[in-house]
Amino acid sequence: MRKEPLFPDSGNKKENDPSTVALEQVTVSRTEDCAGDSGCTEHPDRVEMYEETFLRRSEGAGRKVTCISSELHVVLSRILPLLGDGMTVPAFLDNVLSHHMKTYGKEMEELVRRKLGKVRF
């Protein structure tokens, strides 16, 4: 596994600056899934699953504004329109966070219970 900076110019920022966000891109070799000359064809459904989960626009009722780093916004706003018709950064983030909540909802509830158990009045 090889780590590379996701944003090459981000190395110029101070580490202790609270406005700085450090991100890394991890490159992983998937030899067991990508063996042979054909590449990653053993799990083509993973691509379709990703597309269905994250690259479909849902017409939700109301939306709220949230902030992400400008560097991350630039990267996402460049690649998302190429991945899905009309895919925007807010729509993608909504999909990612919805998936995260579904995946880790029980763990989050347990953490809340643990924190509330420590509260004393």
Side-chain angles (χ1 to χ4, degrees), residues 14-70:
K14 298 177 186 173
E15 285 185 29
N16 294 330
D17 182 355
S19 66
T20 301
V21 177
L23 297 173
E24 292 180 341
Q25 180 177 3
V26 178
T27 305
V28 179
S29 295
R30 296 176 32 166
T31 54
E32 59 191 51
D33 288 345
C34 300
D37 296 314
S38 59
C40 293
T41 57
E42 291 186 34
H43 297 290
D45 57 319
R46 289 178 55 97
V47 174
E48 283 79 19
M49 279 179 25
Y50 183 89
E51 189 173 34
E52 182 65 33
T53 303
F54 300 113
L55 300 177
R56 300 278 188 247
R57 288 186 63 138
S58 62
E59 299 304 323
R63 299 217 184 243
K64 297 285 185 179
V65 175
T66 190
C67 298
I68 61 171
S69 69
S70 59

Side-chain angles (χ1 to χ4, degrees), residues 48-109:
E48 283 79 19
M49 279 179 25
Y50 183 89
E51 189 173 34
E52 182 65 33
T53 303
F54 300 113
L55 300 177
R56 300 278 188 247
R57 288 186 63 138
S58 62
E59 299 304 323
R63 299 217 184 243
K64 297 285 185 179
V65 175
T66 190
C67 298
I68 61 171
S69 69
S70 59
E71 293 93 353
L72 187 55
H73 190 276
V74 166
V75 170
L76 290 173
S77 63
R78 286 181 182 165
I79 64 170
L80 289 173
L82 302 172
L83 300 178
D85 290 337
M87 181 52 58
T88 63
V89 173
F92 178 74
L93 294 177
D94 192 64
N95 293 339
V96 169
L97 293 172
S98 292
H99 181 267
H100 182 84
M101 296 295 288
K102 288 175 191 169
T103 304
Y104 296 104
K106 291 189 185 310
E107 290 80 0
M108 293 171 73
E109 288 175 8

